[in-house]
Amino acid sequence: MIHHFSTWNLSLRLEFRASSLSLPEQSLIHHFSTWNLSYVHMVVGTLRHSIPKTVVYCQVREAKRNLLDRFFTELGAKEGRQLGKLLDEDPVITQRRQNIGKRLELYQAAQSEIDMVVWTK
């Protein structure tokens, strides 16, 4: 728990120090001390509200990371047929996607051979 600042303690210290000052100077010091105390209370209030939110955010982020790690581990352990069942994809579309993947590999291999020829010249 955050301790509240005592205005009574602060005012006693200021009165003790300001007793030898003139009235305008005492008024100015009182004004500054009031403003500073208000600022400190504002900062303490902000921290009181933001720290719990930050803690919860960190907990949620860590839980999300753990769940995603577990999900990807389980998903990576599955075979191609099991993944196909999870996708519930039409067999025609599955075959077409596999054929396009093979063509893409061939195009990439051809591009790499072309690049090797171009760089050797």
Side-chain angles (χ1 to χ4, degrees):
M1 181 173 163
I2 299 173
H3 297 287
H4 293 285
F5 293 95
S6 171
T7 55
W8 181 77
N9 190 13
L10 181 64
S11 64
L12 277 180
R13 283 187 280 158
L14 287 175
E15 285 177 22
F16 177 73
R17 291 182 185 158
S19 62
S20 63
L21 300 174
S22 68
L23 188 59
E25 291 171 335
Q26 288 179 6
S27 174
L28 186 62
I29 287 176
H30 179 72
H31 175 72
F32 285 151
S33 66
T34 304
W35 185 84
N36 284 333
L37 189 60
S38 297
Y39 177 75
V40 167
H41 284 296
M42 181 190 70
V43 169
V44 168
T46 301
L47 290 174
R48 188 179 302 127
H49 287 67
S50 65
I51 287 176
K53 291 176 186 177
T54 304
V55 169
V56 169
Y57 170 76
C58 291
Q59 291 172 336
V60 168
R61 186 182 62 191
E62 188 63 28
K64 174 185 161 188
R65 185 178 301 135
N66 290 338
L67 285 172
L68 283 174
D69 287 345
R70 193 171 77 196
F71 172 72
F72 287 127
T73 301
E74 290 176 8
L75 194 63
K78 296 192 182 295
E79 295 180 11
R81 289 183 184 176
Q82 291 173 327
L83 291 175
K85 287 180 184 178
L86 285 175
L87 290 175
D88 195 29
E89 193 174 47
D90 184 24
V92 174
I93 294 174
T94 303
Q95 186 62 38
R96 183 171 180 216
R97 183 174 39 78
Q98 289 172 347
N99 290 341
I100 290 173
K102 289 176 187 175
R103 275 197 280 172
L104 178 62
E105 288 177 12
L106 290 173
Y107 288 140
Q108 288 173 338
Q111 181 65 43
S112 122
E113 287 181 28
I114 291 171
D115 288 344
M116 284 177 28
V117 169
V118 169
W119 282 103
T120 58
K121 288 185 177 186

